Amino acid sequence: MMEQQQIDHFRKRLQAQRGQVLAEVANHQLPTDPINDIEEKADRAASNMVETQITQSDENLLNKIEFALSRLNAGTYQECDHCRGEIQLPRLEAKPSVSLCLSCQEKKDSGQI
């Protein structure tokens, strides 16, 4: 079980990370001004595709952060979402939004879960 000081530490880290992601999302707004040049349209389309991918990645990270905060509030932050084992503190320090222990993450990465 985590001590209150650890809970507060991770809450601050997650909230700071959420703020960074929200700022990043705000910086990646797609332009809406009309363009007539065919070359500019092609450039805009390519740029929009990259921006959309960045935004989706940011949104996925934001969802992970929100999930981690909800687990923190529920008292299950250090519990693996798959096996219910303990997520080690060094793993949480390295990536505060994780919800899987290292073993389950490796299984997920290899397609086993």
Side-chain angles (χ1 to χ4, degrees), residues 60-79:
N60 289 338
L61 179 54
L62 191 58
N63 288 335
K64 289 179 182 182
I65 292 167
E66 294 298 337
F67 184 58
L69 285 166
S70 71
R71 291 176 35 247
L72 196 61
N73 292 334
T76 59
Y77 178 65
Q78 202 172 0
E79 182 180 296

Side-chain angles (χ1 to χ4, degrees), residues 7 18 20 25 31 39-40 44-47 49 60 67 71 74 84 87-88 90-91 95 105 109-111:
I7 292 169
R18 178 175 54 189
Q20 290 171 339
V25 168
E39 198 171 304
E40 282 185 53
R44 171 80 57 87
S47 178
M49 195 166 21
N60 289 338
F67 184 58
R71 291 176 35 247
R84 303 295 179 225
I87 302 173
Q88 298 297 312
R91 178 160 169 73
K95 194 169 182 182
Q105 184 67 54
D109 291 345
S110 68

Side-chain angles (χ1 to χ4, degrees), residues 18-73:
R18 178 175 54 189
Q20 290 171 339
V21 172
L22 289 172
E24 236 177 86
V25 168
N27 288 334
H28 292 291
Q29 298 302 319
L30 299 175
T32 57
D33 55 316
I35 49 177
N36 296 320
D37 182 56
I38 206 91
E39 198 171 304
E40 282 185 53
K41 284 183 182 182
D43 286 344
R44 171 80 57 87
S47 178
N48 285 352
M49 195 166 21
V50 170
E51 290 295 324
T52 299
Q53 290 172 342
I54 290 170
T55 301
Q56 288 172 346
S57 176
D58 288 339
E59 287 175 6
N60 289 338
L61 179 54
L62 191 58
N63 288 335
K64 289 179 182 182
I65 292 167
E66 294 298 337
F67 184 58
L69 285 166
S70 71
R71 291 176 35 247
L72 196 61
N73 292 334

